[in-house]
Amino acid sequence: MCDISDVGVSQPTVSHHLKKLKEAGLLVSERRGTWVYYRVEPSVLAAMGQLLMAPLPSDR
């Protein structure tokens, strides 16, 4: 768990960007009382892992 408290922008700005990332399918959220917990969509993590592990194209 991570509490986002001081990232250099206001809380409404953070909320706005989290909402946009969720709308784009990059994040999923779960509400627990007044808190909302966000995490990276598992399929996005898998795709990023494959991308990062892909061999670099050879120079020709």
Side-chain angles (χ1 to χ4, degrees), residues 2 5 9-10 12-14 18 20-21 23 25 27-30 32 38-40 43-44 48 52-53 57 59-60:
C2 177
S5 57
V9 295
S10 67
T13 301
V14 171
L18 288 171
K20 293 297 181 182
L21 290 168
E23 289 172 354
L27 296 179
V28 293
S29 66
E30 177 184 342
R32 296 184 197 164
Y38 291 90
R39 68 179 194 273
V40 177
S43 63
V44 171
M48 289 192 69
L52 292 171
M53 296 303 294
D59 291 27
R60 291 182 183 193

